[in-house]
Amino acid sequence: VMVSGRKLIINWLIKSKAIKDNERELYEYALYSIVLLLSPAFISIAIGCIMGIPINGVLMVIPFLFLRKFSGGFHAKHAWTCFVGSSILVTIFLWISTKISSDLLLYMVTAISVVELCIFSPIQSDNRIIAEDEKHIYRKIVMQQLAIYVVVAIIADIAGKEIVTICMFLGIIITAVMQVPCIVRKVK
């Protein structure tokens, strides 16, 4: 469905003379990249709406989207597997967001996740090889983002906005969870 939709859009752009036929591959890749980047947001917000907690979906996906871009982690081989797996994981974490409070356990699990992300980021995928000089930059970006999210979450907790803290911490935790299969595979 995604492939035919992309081709339909690209064909329309070519017929409209917005792009040239020899630019087809470049625009198909760009459209594919945009869909991959934004699909977690759509999934999280849609599932959040279905569960009656759209704010949780938005708050959880923000740290996940931006951390995941630079931290890397597990990638499914097929788009459909990725979609189903992501939907299940997001649903579980959104459900968790309604059942927990911002207590010591959440802070401890988040701290462990932060340490893992700082140590193992960036994790390369088969789709994207990261040059040595980029690895240092990516790790630094991950650490900076983590610092921002943790500070914002703690301030929110102090201000009595517990759901912001819970969802932002869960966004960090879900990013760390996505690295675990790659870390385990590397250790073996």
Side-chain angles (χ1 to χ4, degrees):
V1 175
M2 278 194 339
V3 174
S4 60
R6 278 198 321 265
K7 288 185 186 241
L8 192 67
I9 292 169
I10 299 303
N11 287 338
W12 175 76
L13 287 170
I14 291 169
K15 284 181 185 175
S16 302
K17 300 195 187 308
I19 63 171
K20 296 180 177 119
D21 190 41
N22 64 348
E23 299 172 325
R24 172 187 299 275
E25 192 174 313
L26 175 68
Y27 282 92
E28 282 183 4
Y29 179 75
L31 205 51
Y32 177 74
S33 296
I34 290 169
V35 168
L36 279 183
L37 178 69
L38 296 177
S39 62
F42 292 133
I43 291 169
S44 185
I45 294 167
I47 292 171
C49 286
I50 291 167
M51 294 174 73
I53 49 171
I55 297 300
N56 296 33
V58 171
L59 291 170
M60 192 175 76
V61 81
I62 289 170
F64 174 75
L65 270 180
F66 295 107
L67 281 170
R68 175 85 165 148
K69 177 155 180 52
F70 295 99
S71 67
F74 178 76
H75 288 279
K77 294 200 186 298
H78 305 288
W80 185 247
T81 308
C82 177
F83 178 77
V84 171
S86 296
S87 297
I88 291 168
L89 200 57
V90 165
T91 302
I92 291 167
F93 273 77
L94 283 173
W95 177 80
I96 290 170
S97 78
T98 66
K99 302 296 178 197
I100 64 172
S101 59
S102 67
D103 58 9
L104 183 59
L105 180 61
L106 179 62
Y107 274 82
M108 287 174 32
V109 173
T110 303
I112 292 166
S113 298
V114 166
V115 170
E116 177 206 308
L117 288 165
C118 289
I119 291 172
F120 293 104
S121 294
I123 290 181
Q124 296 191 55
S125 71
D126 295 337
N127 304 346
R128 170 103 162 80
I129 303 302
I130 304 168
E132 276 307 311
D133 57 331
E134 285 182 310
K135 286 180 184 179
H136 177 72
I137 294 167
Y138 279 33
R139 179 173 284 125
K140 192 173 180 179
I141 291 169
V142 167
M143 289 183 199
Q144 291 168 344
Q145 286 184 29
L146 285 167
I148 291 167
Y149 298 136
V150 168
V151 167
V152 168
I154 291 171
I155 291 170
D157 207 14
I158 292 167
K161 303 294 183 192
E162 184 180 42
I163 198 62
V164 174
T165 305
I166 291 168
C167 291
M168 291 197 86
F169 280 176
L170 288 176
I172 293 169
I173 294 166
I174 198 172
T175 307
V177 166
M178 295 297 288
Q179 283 192 341
V180 171
C182 299
I183 295 167
V184 169
R185 192 177 331 140
K186 194 185 269 189
V187 171
K188 285 183 179 181

